[in-house]
Amino acid sequence: MEKQQQSVPAVRGQGMLEWYEALISAALVLVLIFSFFFRIIQVDGRSMVPTLTHGDKLIVWAAGYTPQRGDVVIVDSYTVYGKPLVKRIIAKGGDTISIDYDAGTVTVNGELLQEDYVAAPTYLGYDVQFPFTVPEGTLFVMGDNRNESLDSRSSYVGCIDERDILGKVLLCFMPFTDFGVVK
């Protein structure tokens, strides 16, 4: 006995419907990836020069990130500043930080930081007195352009709660002249 093949008549527009479904699925996957794993942030201001400049667009790793000294991070806009801040972690909870404004140097737990990323030595001070011990669960952050950065040296910004860190900056992708991994 032979089976007869039945052909299914083609439905007009079925191919187009499949393309729409594929595009919607791809868009949904991208939204999920950028909601839970990555974020895109734009630099506002000069506090991170020379590492980052005003207008740079950044890709930030958010999922499961644990803050580490030296990382460039994004601080959530819920802070008193009102916008996301791009800063570098200098010290973590329990660390003692000292800044010698005459010499322009920063030490953490008695160890002088080798800061090749700063624009100039640290001469600008605010109202936080040093040596300063960072409270547990918080981070002491500073901009790389130390003499033009409002950061944890000021009680206005203060130490940042670790829960207010959106993630670590991985990559600068725009403008293309600044394209690269952020260190």
Side-chain angles (χ1 to χ4, degrees), residues 4-21:
Q4 290 183 347
Q5 274 188 322
Q6 295 181 348
S7 65
V8 178
V11 176
R12 184 178 177 148
Q14 183 174 358
M16 191 63 102
L17 182 61
E18 289 173 357
W19 272 102
Y20 285 135
E21 287 175 350

Side-chain angles (χ1 to χ4, degrees), residues 102-174:
D102 294 329
T105 59
V106 178
T107 58
V108 176
N109 300 327
E111 186 176 321
L112 181 67
L113 295 183
Q114 300 301 316
E115 301 181 292
D116 302 333
Y117 44 79
V118 296
T122 307
Y123 298 125
L124 175 67
Y126 290 102
D127 58 341
V128 172
Q129 299 297 310
F130 296 98
F132 177 80
T133 301
V134 180
E136 290 296 331
T138 66
L139 304 166
F140 192 94
V141 298
M142 294 171 71
D144 290 355
N145 191 359
R146 301 285 166 78
N147 300 314
E148 290 190 36
S149 177
L150 181 61
D151 49 40
S152 292
R153 294 172 289 169
S154 166
S155 60
Y156 179 72
V157 174
C159 289
I160 304 297
D161 191 306
E162 288 184 8
R163 296 171 294 188
D164 289 334
I165 299 297
L166 293 179
K168 177 182 178 180
V169 175
L170 296 178
L171 182 74
C172 177
F173 70 95
M174 285 188 82

Side-chain angles (χ1 to χ4, degrees), residues 34-97:
F34 280 96
S35 294
F36 295 107
F37 297 103
F38 297 101
R39 294 177 187 253
I40 295 176
I41 301 287
Q42 180 171 315
V43 176
D44 181 27
R46 299 182 30 83
S47 72
M48 287 300 290
V49 170
T51 307
L52 300 167
T53 59
H54 179 76
D56 283 354
K57 293 195 178 28
L58 311 171
I59 294 181
V60 178
W61 175 258
Y65 170 69
T66 302
Q68 301 297 320
R69 272 188 228 110
D71 288 350
V72 177
V73 296
I74 304 297
V75 179
D76 201 338
S77 61
Y78 296 128
T79 60
V80 293
Y81 190 66
K83 303 186 228 184
L85 297 175
V86 181
K87 301 291 179 192
R88 186 177 300 273
I89 298 173
I90 302 300
K92 296 172 64 172
D95 290 339
T96 300
I97 184 168

